[in-house]
Amino acid sequence: DAGVTQSPTHLIKTRGQQVTLRCSPISGHKSVSWYQQVLGQGPQFIFQYYEKEERGRGNFPDRFSARQFPNYSSELNVNALLLGDSALYLCASSLTPGTPDAFEAFFGQGTRLTVV
Amino acid sequence: KQEVTQIPAALSVPEGENLVLNCSFTDSAIYNLQWFRQDPGKGLTSLLLIQSSQREQTSGRLNASLDKSSGRSTLYIAASQPGDSATYLCAVRGVMDSSYKLIFGSGTRLLVRP
């Protein structure tokens, strides 16, 4: 079975540009979360989506937005890129919330975004 | 506000040693705790998930324990190998958080020397 897939794997953008990152969850998983990881730190929560609705948002500016599609895949959009947005962006999927085992998160390989 | 701390930040050991990585969290109201492995520039690989009602979980040479009341978890790696070299992250999921988000520590960078 395919794991969580993210695209692209690497991306270089210029300050002020916009970027879209994509994530396909594990088959059968309906929850997708996005995390940002800067070098030397643990991942920081950005968004969580379940059944196409936003269920949580971390402490990130409105330049960050996301959505989930009917097939449970997801996109993360970042507008007006800043140098500080350079990071590894990780997508995680999990089963339907509600049972303890459903909370195990499985991560993709990430998208390395460099803003120059 | 939940905070997760991992000690030590870095660890270098010779091959074959048994080792312990530590994780502490400030709020004991958690659903579960998850240990991950991360190779340089790569995503996270789930190693072990411990539910709040459990005391430990084992997978191969890995054993993770959870003491929720004291806000501590340890990851025990037996007979370490060079292939175990990576960053190990622990993360907790809080009961009071409807987003079910994971809160991570900064990780322990492990180097196992041949």
Side-chain angles (χ1 to χ4, degrees):
Chain A
D1 286 342
V4 178
T5 57
Q6 292 186 242
S7 63
T9 55
H10 295 83
L11 205 51
I12 299 176
K13 290 286 189 178
T14 303
R15 279 179 297 175
Q17 285 189 315
Q18 175 264 342
V19 67
T20 298
L21 311 180
R22 296 177 175 81
C23 172
S24 293
I26 293 171
S27 177
H29 286 195
K30 297 183 178 181
S31 176
V32 171
S33 298
W34 288 94
Y35 292 80
Q36 180 196 64
Q37 186 180 27
V38 299
L39 199 62
Q41 297 182 18
Q44 297 291 317
F45 172 75
I46 309 175
F47 286 109
Q48 194 252 350
Y49 275 80
Y50 170 63
E51 290 286 13
K52 302 180 288 295
E53 291 189 6
E54 181 183 309
R55 299 302 178 101
R57 184 188 181 109
N59 188 25
F60 281 81
D62 291 344
R63 298 184 296 107
F64 288 76
S65 63
R67 55 180 175 169
Q68 186 177 33
F69 298 98
N71 66 354
Y72 305 109
S73 67
S74 177
E75 286 183 352
L76 175 69
N77 295 285
V78 186
N79 295 322
L81 286 167
L82 303 174
L83 295 179
D85 294 331
S86 296
L88 181 66
Y89 288 85
L90 296 162
C91 172
S93 78
S94 56
L95 289 167
T96 304
T99 60
D101 286 345
F103 290 143
E104 184 169 11
F106 297 89
F107 283 78
Q109 288 300 294
T111 294
R112 169 69 63 186
L113 172 64
T114 302
V115 182
V116 298
Chain B
K1 177 185 174 186
Q2 178 74 269
E3 293 183 0
V4 180
T5 303
Q6 291 188 246
I7 295 173
L11 186 62
S12 179
V13 300
E15 181 177 4
E17 271 203 9
N18 301 324
L19 54 99
V20 175
L21 307 182
N22 296 294
C23 172
S24 63
F25 47 95
T26 55
D27 186 349
S28 62
I30 62 170
Y31 271 121
N32 56 37
L33 183 145
Q34 200 166 352
W35 281 94
F36 296 90
R37 168 187 172 136
Q38 186 174 32
D39 294 295
K42 303 296 185 182
L44 276 61
T45 299
S46 179
L47 297 174
L48 290 164
L49 172 72
I50 310 178
Q51 304 297 349
S52 61
S53 58
Q54 297 175 322
R55 296 286 292 184
E56 65 179 296
Q57 281 283 355
T58 298
S59 176
R61 294 182 294 108
L62 305 179
N63 175 276
S65 67
L66 175 64
D67 184 342
K68 197 174 67 166
S69 61
S70 68
R72 295 180 181 179
S73 176
T74 60
L75 179 66
Y76 175 83
I77 303 177
S80 59
Q81 304 171 356
D84 295 330
S85 298
T87 295
Y88 290 82
L89 294 153
C90 73
V92 298
R93 199 184 299 269
V95 169
M96 302 305 294
D97 191 338
S98 61
S99 74
Y100 307 116
K101 68 176 179 282
L102 286 166
I103 298 176
F104 285 84
S106 294
T108 294
R109 295 187 310 279
L110 172 65
L111 174 65
V112 181
R113 307 186 304 272

